[in-house]
Amino acid sequence: SQKIEQNSEALNIQEGKTATLTCNYTNYSPAYLQWYRQDPGRGPVFLLLIRENEKEKRKERLKVTFDTTLKQSLFHITASQPADSATYLCALDGSGYSTLTFGKGTMLLVSP
Amino acid sequence: DAGVIQSPRHEVTEMGQEVTLRCKPISGHNSLFWYRQTMMRGLELLIYFNNNVPIDDSGMPEDRFSAKMPNASFSTLKIQPSEPRDSAVYFCASSLLPDTQYFGPGTRLTVL
């Protein structure tokens, strides 16, 4: 069965540094991959979508890469700020019903 | 637009009682999803509706769970009878296929 892995340990970084989060998947060939942000007590919020034929996508301070050979996506936040502290979830398109399968997320903590 | 609306935001009930969670999707969206989130299992898809029709309910835990979408602007998720292991945060999300999903604020359910 398809499996999505995100680092369960929180990532702690200093303000101004680049945060890099990893999403690995197995037994799967997704057509696209998405990243969401979730703050405590709130629902996930969509950030970026990258398709299988795209290597990289950027949006302001965010950058996502998608390596279908390694079955891995990297999510970067440059010039990180304390306001970037949240849990980040990756999601892959599902079994053909246009649904999403989510990873458990990685918590990012940016200290001033 | 007000976004996806869920009610109630918090629900505390006793084992054996019936629980009904409600969702109003974003106007114009043709897909609606119910998810359950726990620390142990992360965000799990329960059921997916497209144009008010249930397409994939393979994630519904058991017969105690049921979901309806009587029209394009309203959906319910019912648990009867509820059990302590049903305690979780339940999210509703809507989308325009095959685009990104917009999540509601969630309902935190506690079954005593």
Side-chain angles (χ1 to χ4, degrees):
Chain A
S1 61
Q2 50 182 267
K3 190 176 178 182
I4 302 171
E5 289 184 351
Q6 293 186 257
N7 196 338
S8 58
E9 291 183 13
L11 176 64
N12 287 274
I13 65 167
Q14 203 88 26
E15 182 176 8
K17 302 291 186 183
T18 297
T20 299
L21 306 176
T22 304
C23 176
N24 295 299
Y25 59 92
T26 57
N27 300 328
Y28 198 52
S29 296
Y32 57 82
L33 183 148
Q34 301 183 16
W35 283 89
Y36 287 75
R37 168 183 173 143
Q38 186 172 23
D39 291 284
R42 294 178 177 265
V45 175
F46 169 76
L47 296 175
L48 280 169
L49 179 153
I50 185 165
R51 301 190 186 280
E52 60 178 336
N53 60 347
E54 299 175 314
K55 296 293 185 187
E56 180 180 300
K57 185 164 272 191
R58 293 174 185 262
K59 179 182 176 183
E60 298 173 352
R61 294 184 297 111
L62 308 180
K63 185 178 86 171
V64 172
T65 63
F66 194 10
D67 189 325
T68 55
T69 301
L70 290 178
K71 294 188 181 295
Q72 180 182 80
S73 175
L74 298 179
F75 176 80
H76 306 272
I77 304 176
T78 58
S80 59
Q81 305 165 359
D84 295 326
S85 298
T87 295
Y88 292 86
L89 307 167
C90 74
L92 279 64
D93 64 296
S95 55
Y97 293 125
S98 296
T99 57
L100 292 174
T101 301
F102 283 83
K104 290 186 179 179
T106 299
M107 183 182 293
L108 172 66
L109 299 170
V110 182
S111 52
Chain B
D1 202 319
V4 175
I5 299 172
Q6 290 187 247
S7 65
R9 292 295 312 277
H10 302 273
E11 177 79 38
V12 180
T13 190
E14 292 190 349
M15 183 173 65
Q17 296 298 306
E18 177 179 297
V19 174
T20 299
L21 311 181
R22 297 172 177 80
C23 175
K24 177 179 168 54
I26 293 173
S27 176
H29 282 189
N30 58 4
S31 293
L32 184 139
F33 309 83
W34 281 101
Y35 290 89
R36 177 172 66 178
Q37 188 174 40
T38 61
M39 289 292 291
M40 285 291 292
R41 301 175 68 89
L43 195 61
E44 301 175 285
L45 177 68
L46 299 176
I47 188 168
Y48 154 54
F49 290 89
N50 180 238
N51 292 324
N52 313 336
V53 176
I55 303 299
D56 181 3
D57 65 354
S58 59
M60 295 287 262
E62 48 199 91
D63 292 345
R64 297 185 298 107
F65 285 68
S66 63
K68 293 182 179 179
M69 192 164 185
N71 56 63
S73 59
F74 184 66
S75 176
T76 59
L77 178 68
K78 187 176 293 187
I79 308 173
Q80 165 65 17
S82 58
E83 297 181 3
R85 60 192 168 120
D86 301 330
S87 297
V89 181
Y90 290 81
F91 288 103
C92 174
S94 69
S95 76
L96 272 176
L97 281 179
D99 210 80
T100 59
Q101 296 182 17
Y102 296 83
F103 283 77
T107 296
R108 181 172 294 277
L109 173 65
T110 302
V111 183
L112 303 174

